């Protein structure tokens, strides 16, 4: 079989014509097969090749729900019952912020931290937690746990009259500031 000249001009070629104006990408549909003259992606519904683009789509249509992101209750239950884990965590965070606004800041922030720790525990223990599942299970547990523990510990160590004192932190502060 002789080698075909790849530089020869063919009808429907995607290269620019003599006047310098670019042609649109083309793919021809022939009865005996597909002749593609441009880069293409997967074929469309009719089997013809689609033109690829390097641009991101305007609308994402194929993002998968995170593992465990299904309903926490049966589908025939009302919406609040299906999303009770995220509603519980959100309600507790709201109460904690209300306590903080009412000048009970330490226990309000401890409640916020405890709510995030509860979210981590729910994400770990339950197979389906609805909208509480944002990322992968490990990432959600790590994020909720680290943030909840940090907020609760910092609230307990807040001045004046801290409930929790960690001795080496005072020494660390003296070494870094002086």
């Amino acid at each position: 079989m002789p080698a075909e000249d790849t530089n020869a001009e063919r009808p429907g070629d995607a290269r620019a014509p003599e006047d310098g104006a670019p042609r649109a990408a083309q793919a021809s549909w022939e009865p005996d097969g597909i002749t593609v003259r441009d880069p293409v992606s997967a074929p469309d519904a009719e089997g013809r090749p689609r033109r690829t683009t390097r641009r991101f789509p305007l609308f994402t249509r194929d993002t998968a729900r995170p593992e465990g992101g299904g309903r926490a209750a049966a589908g025939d239950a009302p919406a609040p019952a299906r999303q009770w884990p995220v509603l519980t965590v959100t309600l507790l965070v709201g109460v904690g912020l209300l306590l903080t606004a009412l000048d009970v800041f330490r226990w309000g922030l401890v409640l916020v931290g405890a709510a995030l720790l509860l979210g981590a525990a729910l994400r770990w223990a339950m197979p389906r937690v609805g909208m509480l599942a944002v990322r992968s299970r490990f990432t959600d547990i790590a994020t909720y746990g680290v943030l909840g523990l940090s907020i609760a510990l910092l609230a307990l160590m807040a001045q004046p009259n801290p409930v929790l004192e960690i001795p080496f932190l005072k020494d660390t502060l003296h070494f870094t500031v002086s």
Side-chain angles (χ1 to χ4, degrees):
M1 183 192 277
E4 185 176 310
D5 183 11
T6 58
N7 295 328
E9 184 72 28
R10 296 184 201 111
D13 197 12
R15 288 179 280 141
E18 302 302 324
D19 61 352
R23 284 190 191 160
Q26 295 179 355
S28 62
W29 179 258
E30 297 175 1
D32 58 16
I34 298 173
T35 303
V36 177
R37 302 207 196 308
D38 254 348
V40 293
S41 64
D44 62 7
E46 287 82 34
R48 289 174 291 187
R50 294 182 304 189
R51 178 157 162 49
T52 58
T53 179
R54 295 180 66 119
R55 294 182 182 167
F56 288 107
L58 291 176
F59 301 101
T60 304
R61 293 186 179 96
D62 60 349
T63 302
R65 178 186 309 185
E67 172 196 352
R71 297 179 178 122
D76 57 346
R82 290 190 308 255
Q83 297 298 332
W84 69 266
V86 73
L87 290 175
T88 303
V89 171
T90 305
L91 181 69
L92 287 173
V93 167
V95 170
L97 292 175
L98 181 66
L99 286 174
T100 303
L102 295 175
D103 210 24
V104 190
F105 82 96
R106 183 184 319 268
W107 300 112
L109 290 178
V110 167
L111 184 59
V112 169
L116 290 173
L117 289 172
L118 174 68
L122 288 173
R123 187 72 172 100
W124 176 70
M126 294 182 57
R128 295 183 177 266
V129 288
M131 290 192 304
L132 190 62
V134 178
R135 301 162 221 86
S136 69
R137 187 177 301 269
F138 174 78
T139 305
D140 281 343
I141 292 170
T143 304
Y144 295 145
V146 167
L147 288 175
L149 191 64
S150 299
I151 290 171
L153 287 177
L154 288 172
L156 291 173
M157 292 188 299
Q159 296 290 335
N161 304 324
V163 176
L164 180 65
E165 289 188 33
I166 301 178
F168 70 86
L169 288 180
K170 186 182 284 188
D171 297 334
T172 306
L173 181 65
H174 286 294
F175 286 122
T176 58
V177 173
S178 59

